[in-house]
């Protein structure tokens, strides 16, 4: 979810433990706020399987990636 509880359906990914994946949002669903927020990853049944949060300070660094 984005800060306004907007959803973005992601392609099916299998990520190995300790590995990373970059996910690009389409801009039509979830949008990340420059004020910080929470991102929740839901499974196909809508059950939360992971979540992260980021701060306004982290979001201010335009063009930078935030590693969770």
């Amino acid at each position: 979810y984005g800060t306004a509880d907007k959803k973005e359906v992601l392609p099916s990914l299998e990520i190995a433990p300790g590995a990373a994946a970059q996910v690009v949002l389409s801009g039509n669903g979830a949008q990340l706020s420059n004020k910080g927020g929470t991102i929740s990853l839901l499974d196909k049944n809508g059950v939360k399987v992971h979540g992260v949060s980021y701060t306004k300070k982290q979001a201010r660094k335009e063009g930078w990636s935030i590693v969770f």
Side-chain angles (χ1 to χ4, degrees):
Y1 291 108
T3 56
D5 292 333
K6 293 185 179 180
K7 294 181 181 181
E8 177 93 17
V9 177
L10 304 177
S12 181
L13 297 171
E14 187 170 323
I15 304 169
Q22 181 178 8
V23 177
V24 179
L25 300 176
S26 70
N28 296 321
Q31 296 178 359
L32 304 181
S33 170
N34 291 334
K35 297 177 183 178
T38 302
I39 303 167
S40 296
L41 182 63
L42 310 177
D43 68 12
K44 63 182 178 182
N45 298 313
V47 176
K48 183 176 176 178
V49 294
H50 193 57
V52 294
S53 61
Y54 62 101
T55 65
K56 182 177 182 177
K57 183 177 179 181
Q58 289 172 307
R60 274 192 268 171
K61 296 180 180 181
E62 188 172 331
W64 288 72
S65 297
I66 300 173
V67 178
F68 297 104

